[in-house]
Amino acid sequence: MTPGLRDLKLWQEAVALAGDAVRAATLATRRETRAATDEIVRAAVAAAVAIADGYARERPPEQRAAFLEARRALAALETVLAVARHAEVLRPATVAPIGARATAVGKLLSGYVMFVERQIESEAKG
């Protein structure tokens, strides 16, 4: 484990989000819902993994690329959650907390992206 990764609030929230997605997927056991729940889990896990990857990168441009990948995974997750809600694959009571946590992760992630972009700008000037 990368030193300090477990202390990173962004990573903790992203891992909790992926855990919530896995729990929600296990609640939806009907065969016809499997594709949607698999995609929810995939997107949530991809966001957490990209955040860990970004944290482990040494150079700010590489960090930014990984964090932007995490942002794309969160956008995919929110989209699949919306589809699942509209298709009634998952109950609104199941989707709402996952969506709220995804929004929280997205806000934290935006802060990290802005920080890294400032570092990139600083390196470019100096």
Side-chain angles (χ1 to χ4, degrees):
M1 176 67 57
T2 305
L5 180 61
R6 289 182 184 208
D7 296 327
L8 190 68
K9 179 72 173 170
L10 173 60
W11 181 81
Q12 293 170 358
E13 288 295 319
V15 168
L17 171 62
D20 291 348
V22 169
R23 277 190 295 284
T26 60
L27 293 175
T29 57
R30 297 185 325 232
R31 184 172 180 254
E32 62 273 12
T33 64
R34 191 73 170 155
T37 57
D38 284 352
E39 187 61 24
I40 289 168
V41 170
R42 187 212 58 78
V45 170
V49 168
I51 289 165
D53 183 45
Y55 180 81
R57 298 290 177 157
E58 293 182 22
R59 304 212 50 231
E62 295 169 345
Q63 292 173 334
R64 179 178 58 189
F67 289 147
L68 293 177
E69 182 180 332
R71 184 182 282 170
R72 287 188 296 273
L74 285 174
L77 173 61
E78 291 186 37
T79 301
V80 177
L81 285 172
V83 170
R85 185 184 67 241
H86 286 290
E88 298 178 356
V89 169
L90 294 175
R91 296 179 188 177
T94 302
V95 172
I98 298 171
R101 190 177 298 266
T103 298
V105 170
K107 287 179 182 178
L108 288 169
L109 184 58
S110 290
Y112 277 85
V113 169
M114 287 190 316
F115 174 75
V116 170
E117 287 178 346
R118 283 194 301 265
Q119 285 183 315
I120 292 169
E121 289 174 12
S122 177
E123 286 179 5
K125 291 178 183 177

